Amino acid sequence: LSKKNNFAVAYQPANGLDEQRVIKLERYLDAIRTNLLFAKGVVLVEGDAEEILIPSLIKKVLGFSLDEIGVSIINIRSTGFENVADIFHDDRIQRTCAILTDLDTSITAVAIQDGDSDAVKKYKTKCYNSEKKGLERQDSITEYIDGNQWLEAFYAHHTFEVDFLMANQAEVVTGIVEQVYSDPATIALAKAELTSDDVAIAGKRILTMAKQEGKGWFAILLGSRIDGHTVIPNYILNAVKFATPKMSREIIMGIFNYRIKQQMLGDNTLNLEGFKGNLNRFRAGEIELPEIIDEFESIVLADRGLDFLRLL
């Protein structure tokens, strides 16, 4: 049952599905994952890193929890998106569901050259195969979603770890190198590679670190380094926005108030009293979001919260 403005709607999650799909759903929906049936919006991910870090990123950068806006992050692991996303449909549950996955675009040129060592050939072949699978996955998801207004897919260009690194200053990741490596020479090399502007170098290093630690544990280490100035990759922001089609003025007010505190921590000379007055006018519906965004940006010049607010 879903409560609307002045009425309720009854949904039938298995309506129109064949027996095999129903069986898969029943096996998947354990005591933890059944919350996707009751969320206002859902983001499906396929990795521990996204499941661990996305809620933390939203909280530390935007100041609200996904629970506050009724969005559930569901880690499908090896289940397959289609087996879970089936229930979000005009005939079943009419709620928004964002599919979040990787394109796995290669971080290096994959053409094998004369003189490449066996190790280089093996690495390039692995990158090529991952990229090929990423494109096949995108084609499959695009075909699956076609015509379903409740589903949309959002892609990391490479992988979550690589896209996160390239969106942020390397210090976010270099700060945990000592927790991954103990050898001084390896620590120095890793830090140098992570600060490279070449995605082939920096990307390979962060993927090596994530593989060594395990993506889940590596995400926990990264989580200890993120703060209000961390950049959330755009594909994640767009996925959260899609899963939350209606963001209340109260939540938007909360984002602004949180970002004001973050700005004041960095510069206590900022005069935001006039802006706070207009923010109350926004809350009362006297002015609209684009106007208040422009005013905030004119005062603080750049703010991480604006990346998300502009999407609303």
Side-chain angles (χ1 to χ4, degrees), residues 187-205:
I187 290 172
L189 176 62
K191 288 184 176 181
E193 290 179 343
L194 288 169
T195 56
S196 173
D197 292 331
D198 187 345
V199 67
I201 297 172
K204 185 177 182 180
R205 174 54 65 180

Side-chain angles (χ1 to χ4, degrees), residues 17-259:
L17 296 178
D18 61 44
E19 183 180 358
Q20 287 303 310
R21 286 193 177 276
V22 173
I23 290 172
K24 288 179 180 179
L25 268 176
E26 288 177 338
R27 289 175 177 172
Y28 181 79
L29 294 175
D30 58 20
I32 296 174
R33 300 186 184 103
T34 48
N35 66 358
L36 69 83
L37 294 173
F38 309 103
K40 293 179 181 178
V42 171
V43 178
L44 299 180
V45 300
E46 57 183 346
D48 293 339
E50 291 90 341
E51 181 184 20
I52 292 168
L53 271 181
I54 290 175
S56 184
L57 280 167
I58 296 297
K59 183 67 175 178
K60 291 188 177 182
V61 177
L62 299 177
F64 65 85
S65 70
L66 292 176
D67 286 341
E68 288 179 69
I69 58 173
V71 171
S72 288
I73 298 280
I74 304 295
N75 188 351
I76 65 159
R77 293 183 169 86
S78 59
T79 304
F81 288 114
E82 294 88 343
N83 294 323
V84 181
D86 268 347
I87 62 175
F88 301 101
H89 190 276
D90 279 337
D91 297 334
R92 291 178 280 280
I93 295 181
Q94 297 173 14
R95 296 197 186 104
T96 48
C97 174
I99 294 173
L100 205 65
T101 187
D102 301 333
L103 277 179
D104 286 320
T105 302
S106 178
I107 59 175
T108 189
V110 295
I112 294 175
Q113 305 292 329
D114 293 338
D116 283 347
S117 66
D118 289 342
V120 169
K121 289 178 181 177
K122 182 178 179 181
Y123 176 64
K124 286 184 175 182
T125 300
K126 180 182 177 182
C127 290
Y128 170 78
N129 289 335
S130 293
E131 185 174 278
K132 182 180 178 183
K133 288 179 180 178
L135 291 172
E136 291 172 350
R137 185 187 311 117
Q138 183 182 34
D139 289 341
S140 175
I141 292 174
T142 299
E143 182 179 356
Y144 170 72
I145 288 176
D146 185 36
N148 188 341
Q149 64 175 319
W150 304 105
L151 295 174
E152 191 165 333
F154 303 86
Y155 300 90
H157 184 61
H158 299 292
T159 68
F160 172 80
E161 292 83 4
V162 174
D163 283 37
F164 177 83
L165 173 63
M166 302 312 290
N168 283 280
Q169 297 294 322
E171 287 78 7
V172 179
V173 182
T174 56
I176 64 171
V177 169
E178 282 88 349
Q179 294 172 267
V180 178
Y181 302 115
S182 57
D183 175 62
T186 304
I187 290 172
L189 176 62
K191 288 184 176 181
E193 290 179 343
L194 288 169
T195 56
S196 173
D197 292 331
D198 187 345
V199 67
I201 297 172
K204 185 177 182 180
R205 174 54 65 180
I206 194 171
L207 290 175
T208 299
M209 291 169 66
K211 182 178 180 181
Q212 177 171 315
E213 292 299 298
K215 288 199 170 188
W217 182 247
F218 187 68
I220 292 173
L221 294 179
L222 272 183
S224 68
R225 298 289 301 175
I226 62 177
D227 58 27
H229 302 292
T230 302
V231 179
I232 304 175
N234 282 334
Y235 77 99
I236 294 175
L237 292 175
N238 279 291
V240 173
K241 169 60 181 69
F242 179 78
T244 320
K246 294 182 179 180
M247 187 75 70
S248 72
R249 287 184 184 251
E250 288 297 322
I251 292 293
I252 295 172
M253 282 279 296
I255 296 173
F256 274 115
N257 285 324
Y258 179 76
R259 295 312 308 172

